[in-house]
């Protein structure tokens, strides 16, 4: 009934405009949600990759530092020993820097526990290395080698074991995060499809309502005109609304009254 108070042109404009607005809202919303889902997936993969890369870098530094420490007990001149000492210290600084960067990332309880263990092992290596270096500089290579084998190597193996466990945890977490992000993307896509189906249904209902508000009164006007043409001047013509169809019915009613008077 409310639609019959509007002009047909206005009614059509409102109908098409409403459908267009709904479709634009759905398209923009779907695009925004899709972008957010992709950004979340990219962020998850980036964080997981960053942790795996840092863990691999730490493992490489541990292996290289271990090799340098072993070489200390093999040299027979002070200069080479000092060069290895400097290199070991430099590798230790790099390791500490990577360890600190890792600790600032978003870590699980298990990952943080491994990082704390690695930091503790790193500190425990300082004293045996200095002891081995001191013995090597005194050309007590056998004693230095003994310290390296009994005190340094076991700590290095502990570090490598912890790093391997850390890499395994991060790889598993990475796969789980990717799987969760994909599942979220699938749910989002399904939700968008459902919303689009609802929008199509609403658009169909709007189109049906607006079309019916135009075709029904026009069909009534045609029916009245045919009755008048057939000579039936006694039919009652009810006029509802103020649109073009109502004006046509009103004109037919006046014509009917005029013909009845004649």
């Amino acid at each position: 009934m409310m639609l019959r108070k509007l002009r047909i042109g206005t009614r059509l404009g409102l109908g098409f405009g409403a459908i267009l607005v709904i479709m634009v809202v759905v398209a923009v919303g779907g695009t925004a949600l899709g972008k957010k889902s992709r950004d979340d997936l990219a962020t998850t993969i980036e964080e997981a990759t960053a942790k795996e890369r840092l863990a691999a870098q730490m493992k490489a530094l541990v292996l290289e530092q271990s090799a340098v420490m072993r070489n200390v007990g093999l040299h027979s001149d002070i200069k080479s020993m000092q060069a290895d000492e400097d290199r070991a210290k430099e590798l230790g600084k790099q390791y500490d820097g990577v360890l600190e960067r890792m600790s600032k990332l978003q870590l699980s309880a298990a990952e943080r526990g491994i990082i704390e263990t690695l930091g503790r092992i790193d500190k425990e290596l300082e004293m045996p290395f200095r002891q081995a270096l001191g013995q090597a500089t005194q050309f007590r290579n056998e004693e230095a080698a003994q310290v390296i084998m009994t005190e340094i190597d076991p700590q290095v193996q502990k570090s490598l074991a912890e790093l391997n466990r850390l890499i395994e945890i991060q790889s598993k977490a990475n796969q789980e995060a990717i799987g969760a992000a994909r599942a979220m993307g699938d749910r989002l896509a399904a939700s968008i499809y459902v919303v689009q189906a609802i929008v199509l249904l609403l658009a169909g209902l709007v189109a049906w309502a607006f079309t019916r508000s135009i075709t029904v009164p026009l069909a009534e006007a045609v029916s009245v005109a045919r009755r008048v043409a057939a000579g039936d001047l006694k039919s009652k013509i009810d006029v509802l609304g103020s649109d073009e169809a109502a004006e046509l019915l009103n004109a037919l009613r006046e014509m009917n009254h005029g013909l009845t008077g004649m």
Side-chain angles (χ1 to χ4, degrees):
M1 182 62 184
M2 293 295 296
L3 294 176
R4 294 293 304 275
K5 295 181 179 181
L6 300 175
R7 310 292 287 181
I8 292 178
T10 303
R11 211 180 306 169
L12 291 174
L14 289 175
F16 286 120
I19 294 173
L20 180 61
V21 168
I22 293 173
M23 293 181 66
V24 168
V25 169
V26 171
V28 172
T31 302
L33 291 175
K35 183 178 183 302
K36 183 179 183 303
S37 178
R38 290 192 300 271
D39 291 343
D40 291 342
L41 177 59
T43 301
T44 300
I45 294 176
E46 183 178 353
E47 290 178 355
T49 303
K51 289 194 291 185
E52 288 186 4
R53 184 172 59 250
L54 290 176
Q57 188 176 354
M58 290 168 62
K59 184 176 180 179
L61 289 171
V62 168
L63 290 172
E64 186 175 357
Q65 189 180 36
S66 173
V68 172
M69 289 179 179
R70 282 176 170 273
N71 289 337
V72 169
L74 300 178
H75 293 303
S76 58
D77 59 291
I78 300 297
K79 186 175 180 181
S80 298
M81 294 178 188
Q82 290 178 343
D84 283 339
E85 179 185 6
D86 293 339
R87 180 58 181 165
K89 289 180 178 179
E90 177 62 26
L91 292 172
K93 289 180 181 179
Q94 294 180 21
Y95 181 85
D96 292 339
V98 176
L99 189 64
E100 183 178 0
R101 287 164 55 192
M102 175 74 80
S103 63
K104 292 180 179 179
L105 296 177
Q106 186 175 358
L107 302 174
S108 64
E111 290 173 330
R112 195 161 295 280
I114 293 175
I115 294 301
E116 293 175 356
T117 301
L118 290 172
R120 185 175 64 253
I121 293 174
D122 185 49
K123 292 180 180 179
E124 292 174 355
L125 277 173
E126 294 181 4
M127 186 61 68
F129 178 63
R130 290 186 180 182
Q131 183 181 355
L133 183 63
Q135 291 171 345
T137 54
Q138 297 174 12
F139 299 102
R140 296 157 56 188
N141 292 342
E142 292 184 2
E143 296 179 9
Q146 184 69 20
V147 171
I148 291 172
M149 293 177 61
T150 58
E151 298 187 34
I152 294 179
D153 280 354
Q155 295 293 82
V156 171
Q157 293 303 318
K158 286 182 181 179
S159 294
L160 292 175
E162 291 295 321
L163 284 169
N164 288 332
R165 191 160 71 92
L166 179 62
I167 292 173
E168 182 179 356
I169 290 174
Q170 290 171 346
S171 178
K172 184 178 179 181
N174 188 11
Q175 295 300 321
E176 291 177 352
I178 293 175
R182 286 178 176 172
M184 178 63 71
D186 293 340
R187 289 194 295 270
L188 177 62
S191 300
I192 291 175
Y193 292 149
V194 171
V195 171
Q196 288 176 343
I198 294 174
V199 167
L200 289 175
L201 178 60
L202 290 175
L205 290 175
V206 169
W208 175 81
F210 278 86
T211 301
R212 183 174 174 79
S213 69
I214 296 172
T215 58
V216 169
L218 287 178
E220 184 180 354
V222 170
S223 177
V224 170
R226 285 176 177 173
R227 289 200 302 270
V228 172
D232 183 7
L233 303 179
K234 296 180 180 181
S235 60
K236 183 179 178 182
I237 302 175
D238 295 324
V239 180
L240 300 175
S242 57
D243 58 355
E244 290 87 340
E247 291 179 355
L248 176 60
L249 285 173
N250 192 44
L252 288 173
R253 183 173 62 181
E254 292 176 357
M255 182 186 69
N256 198 17
H257 288 168
L259 290 175
T260 301
M262 292 173 61

